[in-house]
Amino acid sequence: MILKDGPITIPVLLSSFWRRIGLTWVLTLFETALTAFVPLFIGFAIDGLLAQNMAALWRLVLVLAALIGVSVARRAYDTRVFGTVRVEAGKAQVARSPELPVSTLNARLGMGRELVDFLENDLPLVMAALVQLVVSIALLYAFGPMLALAGAVAVIAMLLIYVLFHHRFYRLNGRLNQQIERQVRIIDIREPHRLLSHLSHLRRIEIRLSDTESILYGAIFIILLGLVVFNLWYAATALPITTGAIFSIVAYSWEFVDSALALPVTLQGWSRLSEISRRINSLA
């Protein structure tokens, strides 16, 4: 067994499978770098075509072809790596929890898979988002420092908003996980009124989580869309640049928005995983 004694946490999974996961991250960063420069090459291609020059268009085609090749290879490799991690994490959970009721163990096996899902989906997403944010800020700064300053202010405001919601996400996810642990036992009792009460309770918690997410992302969208509108206005009215450059500014502003949204998604996932890690490493 690869995972021996000790808690099953994100750092432990990373240290146990660091070579395999590290390669997926290298591929992810390469894919992200190619993606981040696509709007810039599109802007160059627009200006080149307007000047009857095809060279910039062919450079764009090469970048897109490389992006497709790397994306396909990474996804095929990811499935195999993280499938192995899920198997090893499940084996370790079962081996360490011989006294747990079947209902609780069943629920915690599902929760343990969420740790691996975070490594496979959420963590590469935030890595890609950070790379895109840095590239976007750098290129926006190259077009005009005010554009980059607006982006930095938007990120700070977004993170401050998330901090206000963190405790509520942690508490609601704790209630949801606790109720899920009881599910198999309640089904086994075969009492319709208890099953209905259980499902209704799950529904109420999920509604509270959804409402909290809606308020959080509504506030964040207002800030980020305000950034896009400001940068478009500023680029078109205050900067002496070409049509292709204006397109690149708008594209990078929108890419900035798309990348910035990955940060609260990941932070919200981390709130849930913090509660899950505490729960699955408990013997009770």
Side-chain angles (χ1 to χ4, degrees), residues 14 17-32 70-71 73-83 85 116 118-121 123-125 127-128:
L14 284 174
F17 300 93
W18 67 270
R19 288 187 180 87
R20 302 177 194 181
I21 294 176
L23 181 54
T24 71
W25 287 359
V26 169
L27 292 173
T28 296
L29 291 175
F30 187 39
E31 178 184 350
T32 302
V70 173
S71 299
R74 182 185 67 81
R75 282 160 177 76
Y77 181 67
D78 279 2
T79 302
R80 289 158 176 78
V81 170
F82 291 105
V85 178
V116 185
F118 180 81
L119 290 175
E120 181 178 10
N121 302 317
L123 202 52
L125 179 66
M127 290 171 58

Side-chain angles (χ1 to χ4, degrees), residues 217-227:
Y217 289 106
I220 289 174
F221 261 119
I222 290 172
I223 292 172
L224 295 178
L225 293 181
L227 166 68

Side-chain angles (χ1 to χ4, degrees), residues 101-103 179 181-198:
V102 172
S103 174
Q179 193 65 27
E181 286 185 352
R182 302 170 180 162
Q183 182 161 286
V184 172
R185 186 168 63 252
I186 291 172
I187 293 173
D188 190 54
I189 294 173
R190 299 184 183 276
E191 293 183 3
H193 71 280
R194 291 196 61 179
L195 178 59
L196 178 60
S197 175
H198 163 71

Side-chain angles (χ1 to χ4, degrees), residues 70-136:
V70 173
S71 299
V72 171
R74 182 185 67 81
R75 282 160 177 76
Y77 181 67
D78 279 2
T79 302
R80 289 158 176 78
V81 170
F82 291 105
T84 300
V85 178
R86 288 186 183 91
V87 170
E88 294 298 328
K91 285 165 55 180
Q93 282 183 262
V94 172
R96 298 175 191 183
S97 308
E99 305 300 326
L100 279 181
V102 172
S103 174
T104 302
L105 181 57
N106 176 69
R108 292 185 184 181
L109 282 172
M111 294 176 196
R113 290 177 66 87
E114 290 191 39
L115 297 180
V116 185
D117 290 344
F118 180 81
L119 290 175
E120 181 178 10
N121 302 317
D122 296 349
L123 202 52
L125 179 66
V126 76
M127 290 171 58
L130 289 173
V131 171
Q132 288 178 328
L133 283 175
V134 170
V135 171
S136 297

Side-chain angles (χ1 to χ4, degrees), residues 39-56:
L40 184 64
F41 278 90
I42 292 176
F44 291 155
I46 290 173
D47 288 338
L49 291 172
L50 290 176
Q52 306 299 315
N53 184 345
M54 294 289 291

Side-chain angles (χ1 to χ4, degrees), residues 195-270:
L195 178 59
L196 178 60
S197 175
H198 163 71
L199 295 176
S200 298
H201 194 183
L202 284 177
R203 175 180 176 273
R204 287 193 297 271
I205 298 172
E206 288 166 347
I207 287 174
R208 290 175 186 170
L209 274 169
S210 177
D211 289 347
T212 303
E213 290 173 359
S214 298
I215 296 170
L216 170 63
Y217 289 106
I220 289 174
F221 261 119
I222 290 172
I223 292 172
L224 295 178
L225 293 181
L227 166 68
V228 173
V229 172
F230 172 81
N231 279 1
L232 174 59
W233 168 80
Y234 188 81
T237 61
L239 297 177
I241 52 178
T242 64
T243 302
I246 291 177
F247 170 83
S248 293
I249 288 172
V250 174
Y252 277 112
S253 297
W254 184 252
E255 188 171 283
F256 181 95
V257 169
D258 189 45
S259 302
L261 285 174
L263 297 181
V265 170
T266 304
L267 291 172
Q268 182 185 341
W270 187 258

